[in-house]
Amino acid sequence: MRAAIYARYSTDLQSDASIEDQHRLCLRLIDGNGWQEAETYSDRGLSGASHLRPGYQRLLEDARRNVFDVVVAEGLDRISRDQEHIAAFFKQIRFQGIPIVTVAEGEISELHIGLKGTMSSLFLKDLAQKTHRGLEGRVRKGKSAGGITYGCDVVRDMGADGFTTTGERRINESQAQIVQRIFQDYSHGLSPRNIAAHLNDEGIPGPRGTWGASTIYGNQQRGTGILNNELYFGRLVWNRQRFVKDPNSGKRQAQANPPEEWVIEDVPDLRIVPDDLWNAVKTRQEKTRNAAISDGIKKLGLTKRARHLFSGLLTCGCCGGGVIQVGKQYYGCSAHKNKGTCGNRLTIMRTDLEDRVLYGLKEQLLHPDLIAEFTIAYQEEYNRLAGSIQQERSKTERDLAKLESKIANLINAISDGVFHPSMKEKLTELEARKVEFEGIINSVSDEPPVLLHPGLSDVYREQVANLTTALRDPSSQAKATSIIRSCLSEIRLIPDDGKYAIKLVGELAGLLALGASQNEQSRPGAACSRLCSTALVAGAGFGLCRTIVVLRKFK
């Protein structure tokens, strides 16, 4: 009789030496029956719940080819723990006329298949419940339930009991900076695809080697992806989903759990992204989803991101229609190009438009009145913060005086012979609070705050002068573009003597009101009005640029 040995171990139950141990027991059974060892089939570190095991499949294939006459194993659960699979294995092997003999049960019959198959299935279910219970207990302590999160390192320390700790994590500073950069870039308008491309171009390794759009955006409902991982917000969310094995393919499929089954714990020590940045990303994600789906129909084009600085903001001053690219580098009226309903034939080069707008912005932003307003706003905010700090110090000094009075009273009472054990605990508590108050007071300087740095206005001028450079720099382009586009709602191109007059509409126009002349600011009604738009009209070059202030009653 040619005997085939099958051995298997599962990583969460046994060690690698288990294969050799099983082989030794099976060989002893073979020798006792006078059989001859044919071949050993083994699967290392694979669960018995799956039939997609190389050694197991090779055993079935060789059984069909009559390579052996009997199958020997330590126990029936080594062959499989799935009730359906063990029954199918028994049918196929018996169809070939090959008996199954184990060290634990002897020769296998239909009775063994029914009983052992049921017991193995119950064992797997019980094991899954105990594992889930243990992981939940670990999560409720703020520890990891398994897996590696980008931005955090797994900590392996020796505990007081001599065992290695599990579930501990700490922030990886270098990866945390990349996480913050991803959140900032997305909040400034970059798409996940562009963010991934920039990271790959710079050679920054991702969680799985290279970066992809799905790695960054992920799935919001499942909480996957960098932008959806609440651990970066200091919140550990576990049990969002469960895995169920597909009976046809044998592969695990994720199924969402209801929110009431989620386990949520605060882990502030693992927080990477601040509140404002997290909320900005969530707001943009919500806007993107709302724009993408309406009444079950996808709004094509609404989620398309602007390729250039002012794309999507340009309108024709004649017909009110959109201004689009009519060539690789030129803008023109869409109604004239596509419908012929507008008589505006003028075109303008994209770089010329951007330079003219930015030049006008710089000229207005460098107006002395605007610099003065910036200086005043900075002074007011700085004074407010400095005043609140001084107020906090004064309050702390008053609290410290009351605390020292209580301490003195307790000491006098003890000196007079009045003592109770609770007085010692109270005195220790008061002394600790005294040290805390003294530390707060010492951390606040007695010197009056500097209300304004002498070179602050120069810094402002330098930043405004470098506006064009910042918009051309890839490292700051996303942020600068996002800020400018958020301040403009419309850019009107108005034909004026064969050239375009450019009128800006939006909040930025209100900012430019500070650059208006004193005469205009002192006009009747100017105190209750605000700037609606600013028109930049260029003649022969930027030297003829002038500003037209359009005032509207404040409502």
Side-chain angles (χ1 to χ4, degrees):
M1 295 279 287
R2 298 167 299 171
I5 298 176
Y6 180 78
R8 179 191 63 81
Y9 81 92
S10 180
T11 52
D12 54 358
L13 294 178
Q14 298 167 300
S15 65
D16 195 13
S18 176
I19 297 293
E20 285 71 25
D21 295 339
Q22 293 177 50
H23 179 268
R24 183 175 61 254
L25 292 176
C26 292
L27 194 59
R28 188 179 303 167
L29 177 63
I30 291 173
D31 293 339
N33 285 279
W35 299 337
Q36 178 184 356
E37 180 184 4
E39 189 172 351
T40 299
Y41 305 84
S42 63
D43 288 306
R44 301 174 184 268
L46 295 176
S47 171
S50 172
H51 67 287
L52 301 178
R53 292 170 272 150
Y56 177 82
Q57 293 296 333
R58 196 161 58 89
L59 175 67
L60 287 174
E61 182 63 27
D62 286 351
R64 300 185 189 99
R65 296 169 45 225
N66 294 320
V67 174
F68 49 80
D69 303 312
V70 61
V71 175
V72 178
E74 181 190 24
L76 192 60
D77 57 353
R78 295 299 89 197
I79 297 176
S80 180
R81 286 190 180 276
D82 186 274
Q83 202 168 11
E84 179 185 0
H85 295 160
I86 193 62
F89 178 82
F90 180 77
K91 285 184 178 181
Q92 293 185 47
I93 293 297
R94 276 300 181 92
F95 177 75
Q96 300 296 331
I98 300 174
I100 304 172
V101 181
T102 66
V103 176
E105 296 92 7
E107 185 170 356
I108 300 301
S109 64
E110 288 81 357
L111 183 62
H112 293 95
I113 296 300
L115 292 176
K116 293 290 291 187
T118 302
M119 292 174 61
S120 295
S121 296
L122 292 175
F123 170 80
L124 289 177
K125 184 177 181 180
D126 183 61
L127 179 63
Q129 290 176 344
K130 290 181 179 179
T131 303
H132 191 274
R133 181 190 64 193
L135 293 178
E136 181 178 349
R138 186 183 297 181
V139 170
R140 292 194 180 278
K141 294 179 181 178
K143 298 183 178 182
S144 170
I148 299 176
T149 301
Y150 185 84
C152 298
D153 291 330
V154 177
V155 179
R156 300 290 189 187
D157 293 329
M158 187 66 69
D161 55 0
F163 293 96
T164 304
T165 59
T166 57
E168 301 289 346
R169 289 181 290 196
R170 62 167 169 258
I171 294 178
N172 183 310
E173 296 299 335
S174 60
Q175 292 182 358
Q177 293 178 3
I178 302 301
V179 172
Q180 291 178 344
R181 170 182 167 179
I182 291 173
F183 273 79
Q184 290 171 353
D185 287 348
Y186 183 80
S187 67
H188 295 148
L190 262 68
S191 67
R193 189 182 302 276
N194 288 335
I195 297 174
H198 291 163
L199 294 174
N200 290 329
D201 290 342
E202 297 176 24
I204 299 175
R208 293 180 176 83
T210 58
W211 292 91
S214 61
T215 306
I216 295 173
Y217 201 81
N219 186 296
Q220 186 212 12
Q221 294 181 341
R222 296 182 179 179
T224 59
I226 297 292
L227 297 177
N228 299 315
N229 193 337
E230 297 191 40
L231 188 65
Y232 301 139
F233 188 58
R235 184 186 299 130
L236 177 60
V237 182
W238 180 75
N239 203 37
R240 283 179 178 268
Q241 58 188 13
R242 64 187 184 277
F243 291 92
V244 181
K245 187 175 68 173
D246 187 340
N248 296 322
S249 64
K251 297 181 179 179
R252 297 196 310 164
Q253 300 290 334
Q255 295 183 358
N257 288 329
E260 55 268 20
E261 294 184 7
W262 297 358
V263 179
I264 303 176
E265 294 293 332
D266 291 331
V267 282
D269 55 321
L270 297 178
R271 183 169 186 163
I272 296 177
V273 180
D275 285 353
D276 55 347
L277 184 55
W278 177 270
N279 293 333
V281 168
K282 296 297 113 179
T283 299
R284 188 189 168 198
Q285 285 182 317
E286 187 66 24
K287 288 182 179 178
T288 302
R289 283 189 292 269
N290 291 340
I293 303 296
S294 176
D295 297 329
I297 302 175
K298 185 167 184 176
K299 293 183 178 180
L300 298 176
L302 287 184
T303 58
K304 186 177 180 180
R305 296 169 180 86
R307 295 181 57 188
H308 303 298
L309 179 58
F310 300 126
S311 296
L313 299 177
L314 306 175
T315 59
C316 175
C318 294
C319 65
V323 173
I324 61 173
Q325 280 190 269
V326 294
K328 189 174 182 180
Q329 298 292 338
Y330 286 86
Y331 285 124
C333 176
S334 61
H336 172 76
K337 181 179 184 299
N338 298 328
K339 302 178 181 178
T341 57
C342 180
N344 181 13
R345 297 174 176 270
L346 285 180
T347 60
I348 184 171
M349 196 170 185
R350 177 175 59 82
T351 54
D352 183 23
L353 170 68
E354 293 176 357
D355 289 340
R356 284 172 58 182
V357 173
L358 294 178
Y359 180 86
L361 294 179
K362 288 193 292 184
E363 288 297 308
Q364 293 296 321
L365 291 173
L366 287 174
H367 193 280
D369 291 342
L370 190 59
I371 296 177
E373 181 68 19
F374 167 76
T375 303
I376 293 172
Y378 178 86
Q379 282 182 316
E380 290 177 351
E381 181 64 14
Y382 193 95
N383 291 343
R384 186 188 66 80
L385 293 176
S388 64
I389 293 174
Q390 294 299 326
Q391 290 176 3
E392 182 66 22
R393 173 173 177 157
S394 299
K395 180 179 179 300
T396 305
E397 289 176 343
R398 292 193 298 270
D399 293 341
L400 178 60
K402 295 178 181 179
L403 192 66
E404 289 177 338
S405 177
K406 292 181 179 180
I407 293 175
N409 293 335
L410 278 175
I411 294 176
N412 292 335
I414 294 174
S415 300
D416 294 339
V418 179
F419 178 77
H420 189 274
S422 61
M423 297 174 67
K424 180 180 179 181
E425 182 180 349
K426 183 64 175 179
L427 187 60
T428 303
E429 179 185 348
L430 293 176
E431 289 289 348
R433 293 182 62 190
K434 177 182 177 181
V435 173
E436 180 183 351
F437 286 161
E438 290 175 342
I440 295 175
I441 294 173
N442 294 331
S443 64
V444 180
S445 175
D446 294 330
E447 299 179 1
V450 179
L451 298 184
L452 181 65
H453 192 277
L456 185 61
S457 59
D458 295 333
V459 173
Y460 175 82
R461 289 189 181 92
E462 181 183 354
Q463 294 297 327
V464 174
N466 294 332
L467 179 61
T468 304
T469 304
L471 288 167
R472 300 286 187 265
D473 184 6
S475 62
S476 59
Q477 183 180 24
K479 184 175 182 180
T481 300
S482 175
I483 293 174
I484 289 183
R485 289 181 63 88
S486 65
C487 293
L488 290 173
S489 60
E490 183 182 349
I491 301 178
R492 297 174 189 166
L493 302 184
I494 306 172
D496 183 14
D497 195 18
K499 298 183 181 300
Y500 269 126
I502 305 172
K503 180 180 290 186
L504 309 181
V505 180
E507 295 179 8
L508 187 59
L511 179 64
L512 297 182
L514 295 169
S517 65
Q518 295 295 330
N519 292 334
E520 288 175 327
Q521 291 185 12
S522 60
R523 290 171 54 187
C528 61
S529 61
R530 69 181 181 89
L531 189 65
C532 172
S533 61
T534 294
L536 306 174
V537 184
F542 297 120
L544 299 179
C545 182
R546 64 186 175 90
T547 303
I548 301 176
V549 181
V550 182
L551 298 174
R552 182 177 68 181
K553 291 288 185 180
F554 179 77
K555 298 182 180 180

